[in-house]
Every structure is written in C-alpha cells, then in structure tokens.
Amino acid sequence: MSKFNSRHVFTSESVSEGHPDKVCDQISDAILDACLAQDENSHVACETAAGPDIVVNLGEFKCKGYENVDSENIAREVVKSIGYDRPDEHFCWNTFNYITAMHGQSTDIDMGVSRGSEEAQGAGDQGMMFGYASNATPQLMPAPIVYAHRLMARITEVRKEGSIPYLRPDAKSQVSILHENGRPVRITDIVISNQTEQVPIERVRKDLEEFARAELSDSGLVDNDTRFHINPTGAFIIGGPCGDAGLTGRKIIVDTYGGVGAHGGGAFSGKDPSKVDRSAAYYARYCAKNIVASGIARKCEIQVAYAIGVAKPVSINVEFFGTGKVTEERVAELLENGDIFDFRPGKIISALGLKRPSGWSYRATTNGGHFGREGFPWERIDKAAAIKAAF
C-alpha cells in the first residue's frame, strides 16, 4: 500500500444528479422509500434502466400495501425534480415511456432472511463489503472524492439557481490531487464535463473554470499550475439517458471512496437494508470512521463477508496500511466479539435505524456519495471513546 506513503497523484470522479446512471439510482431509491413508508419490513431490490424516451423498472419486492406504490409517478417526479423538462432532448419527465416488470421476492431468499428475531435475521445475500476512513480530510474521507463531490453539488445548485443559465442536468467532475506522505498538498488537474445548450465553448470553459477556482479556493490546493479540462471534446449538447443509457448501481466507486481502498462489487441503490451489500457497507464505514476518530489509526479499511441466510459474518478483516497504534488482529478480535459493533444484519439495521429513516431518505444518499456527508446515521462518531478505552 505504498501509494498512501509516498509522493503520488490520485484521482477520483463524481457525477451529477442528471447523469443517466444517477437518474436510475434516484428512481430506484425513491421507490424503496415509498415501499418502506408502506411497510417497514419491505424487501426490495429495484433496478432501473433509462434510455431515449424510456424508463424501465425491474426487480423483486415483498411489501404490504405495494398496490399503493405508484412507481410510474415516482419515476416521473424524480426526473422532473432533476430538470429534464424538454421533450426535444428526448428524455423529459412527462413524455417518456414507462415499463415495469417488478415481481414478488423469491420465497427461497425470503426464508433465509425472515427469521423472526433481530439476532437470527440472516444476510440477504452472500458477498464481501468494505468500509474505509482516513484522516486526510475533516470528513475522514479521501480528499479527491470529497472535492469531486463538492464541485458536482455546487454546480447543480448553480444550474438550478440559473446563475450559469445554459447548463443542463448531465455532468461529471474529476479531481487529481498530489499527495506527499499520505497528505493532500495540491490539486494538479480538474476535469468538468457539463451538458449545455448551444453556446460557444470558449464561454463554457471560462465560466466553469472561474466557478471551479472559486468553489475550491478555500481548500488551499488550487494554484496557478492547476490544469483545467472543461468539456474536453468541445461540445456536450446531447446528454442524459438520450446521450448514454443509464442503469442502477453502475457508479459504485463514485458512491463510495473514489477508488481508494477496496470494493466488494455490490451496489447500494434500490436495495432495502436486509441486503448486506448496502447495510453492511454502511456499518463497515461507521466502524472504520469511529476507529480513525478514536486515534488508534490514521487510515482504516474493514472487510466483512457473509453467507446468504446466515446472521454471523463468515469473516471480518482490518487493515491500517501501516498507520495503526495497535495491531489489526486485536481490533479484528474486538469487532468479532460484538461488544462495540455487532455485524449481524438485524443488529446493523436496528443500530442505524435503517427500516424507518429519520431525518434522511434513501433517495438522499444517491447524490454526492453515500459517505462523508453529515445527516446519515453511519456517519456518527459515537463509538470512538469506547474504542479508545478498549485499548
């Protein structure tokens, strides 16, 4: 893991709410939110696909009151809120064709998950999940993904405010940061590709470079040598699901740590918390963040793995990348005994309040990354003192 200790450049990207894959993530999670509002014990795995003038929903569900979930209207409201409101762009909230092929959850899966007690609830699937934290930023996240997300969040606000009036919803950012001994020292390159109306490329490049410089000025990482690549192809008019098809779960690196650390491969959006792809990844972040906040390591990665239908993880692994003040083995033992963190799915759901979100929604997780933003229960630092005391 020498990349964390030497002089190197690391790059991460973010995408806007109007990116075709993010359109799909938002629809999937909005449908999940609606199901949980009907039945907090809903099991949902909702996939969305979008293309020119079409949205398709596929997947499984078990939800009392599902007949009250109007998935078509939910999809249209999501697309409307994003800003796709022009039929001539071939993806518009009130003109796209809608198809659903959702079906009931497999009884084979359900019998392994629905075990009655919180302690006995089995994992909704097999697989491994990762959580990561680093003291490189106040958010305890890697710096490149923090600043890439920040650019996209602000550019969405600028578009909706109308201060750059020609911007359209589809956009991507990319930030490259030089690190020395694991610390960010300067931004070397910033890439922004934003769908626009027909305007001169010179205007777009001038406006967006000024925007990015102003937005990241307080980071102290942008200097006169920072290179800007604004709409590098020279035109970005055709965008959204008309420019490229969208699918739920295709931005798993954007959703997590920007490529720093490992990823188990499972996506988040559209999945209820019985799916450990989502809930255990959230809990692993919660665990890693509290470990770093406790001061026993500057960087921490947690891997947890499950067998479908089995409550207790088959393994928990801890990696400190050479920054730990105690051994990874001792911390892994602490995690496995369940005294501070209990990785059984039912216990995760209860600890984080994942069945009945309070003050947040699953749809709210889809833009700006699932980690490093306040307001989500897995971002709390309420176990750091207990971890510190244990060692």
Side-chain angles (χ1 to χ4, degrees):
M1 294 296 176
S2 60
K3 69 181 180 181
F4 294 110
N5 301 305
S6 60
R7 181 180 170 88
H8 71 282
V9 176
F10 199 89
T11 301
S12 297
E13 74 160 348
S14 180
V15 299
S16 73
E17 65 176 7
H19 185 282
D21 294 331
K22 279 294 154 198
V23 172
C24 294
D25 284 346
Q26 289 168 90
I27 293 171
S28 291
D29 268 342
I31 291 172
L32 170 62
D33 284 329
C35 288
L36 290 173
Q38 292 291 321
D39 175 9
E40 67 176 24
N41 294 310
S42 293
H43 291 169
V44 181
C46 177
E47 312 297 340
T48 304
D53 292 323
I54 191 168
V55 169
V56 180
N57 278 129
L58 302 160
E60 59 164 358
F61 67 90
K62 187 182 88 167
C63 171
K64 295 176 182 177
Y66 184 74
E67 64 276 6
N68 298 316
V69 176
D70 187 346
S71 59
E72 177 175 352
N73 185 60
I74 290 169
R76 294 193 186 280
E77 287 301 313
V78 167
V79 173
K80 182 180 181 181
S81 71
I82 292 169
Y84 284 113
D85 53 7
R86 301 179 183 177
D88 62 336
E89 289 183 339
H90 299 289
F91 190 74
C92 178
W93 71 273
N94 60 352
T95 59
F96 66 71
N97 296 303
Y98 179 78
I99 299 172
T100 182
M102 296 287 288
H103 61 82
Q105 183 180 40
S106 162
T107 55
D108 294 342
I109 295 174
D110 181 58
M111 68 180 179
V113 176
S114 301
R115 293 262 175 92
S117 72
E118 189 176 274
E119 292 78 8
Q121 178 177 330
D125 203 351
Q126 71 173 49
M128 64 282 191
M129 299 84 215
F130 290 87
Y132 180 84
S134 161
N135 68 354
T137 64
Q139 298 89 340
L140 301 187
M141 289 284 287
I145 192 66
V146 167
Y147 291 115
H149 282 324
R150 182 168 159 183
L151 285 175
M152 282 294 93
R154 277 293 295 135
I155 211 164
T156 296
E157 292 176 3
V158 165
R159 170 176 63 86
K160 291 186 171 181
E161 291 166 358
S163 51
I164 303 181
Y166 54 79
L167 296 180
R168 297 298 293 148
D170 194 358
K172 301 176 80 172
S173 67
Q174 189 170 281
V175 177
S176 303
I177 298 184
L178 174 66
H179 294 72
E180 292 181 353
N181 298 317
R183 309 302 300 181
V185 295
R186 64 178 294 264
I187 294 175
T188 64
D189 294 83
I190 293 174
V191 182
I192 298 177
S193 295
N194 205 121
Q195 180 190 14
T196 70
E197 299 172 356
Q198 289 280 2
V199 294
I201 186 61
E202 295 78 14
R203 179 183 176 189
V204 176
R205 288 174 174 165
K206 176 179 180 294
D207 289 349
L208 292 187
E209 179 173 338
E210 289 178 354
F211 155 80
R213 282 190 180 277
E215 181 57 32
L216 299 185
S217 61
D218 64 352
S219 71
L221 301 177
V222 179
D223 58 28
N224 291 334
D225 294 323
T226 299
R227 296 181 293 263
F228 288 82
H229 312 270
I230 310 296
N231 284 15
T233 65
F236 185 5
I237 310 299
I238 302 169
C242 184
D244 187 14
L247 292 169
T248 298
R250 201 160 56 174
K251 286 292 174 283
I252 59 175
I253 301 303
V254 171
D255 285 345
T256 52
Y257 309 101
V260 175
H263 197 295
F268 299 154
S269 291
K271 296 178 181 177
D272 76 88
S274 73
K275 311 292 192 294
V276 284
D277 277 345
R278 184 169 214 163
S279 55
Y282 288 174
Y283 202 66
R285 160 65 178 173
Y286 176 52
C287 179
K289 186 176 183 181
N290 276 271
I291 285 172
V292 171
S294 77
I296 67 170
R298 297 194 307 275
K299 297 178 178 68
C300 177
E301 182 178 271
I302 307 293
Q303 186 210 50
V304 58
Y306 294 89
I308 188 169
V310 179
K312 187 176 180 180
V314 298
S315 68
I316 298 176
N317 183 63
V318 179
E319 173 62 65
F320 289 156
F321 307 99
T323 70
K325 296 180 181 179
V326 299
T327 66
E328 288 102 333
E329 291 80 5
R330 288 183 65 196
V331 177
E333 289 173 3
L334 177 72
L335 301 185
E336 288 169 354
N337 69 29
D339 289 343
I340 299 177
F341 296 96
D342 193 329
F343 277 86
R344 288 176 291 178
K347 290 294 188 178
I348 290 173
I349 292 168
S350 176
L352 298 182
L354 298 180
K355 284 186 178 181
R356 282 288 187 188
S358 177
W360 61 279
S361 67
Y362 282 102
R363 184 186 169 189
T365 65
T366 59
N367 296 307
H370 293 243
F371 307 124
R373 295 190 290 144
E374 295 304 315
F376 299 126
W378 50 91
E379 292 297 318
R380 299 191 308 250
I381 302 176
D382 56 0
K383 302 288 188 182
I387 294 167
K388 189 172 183 178
F391 296 100

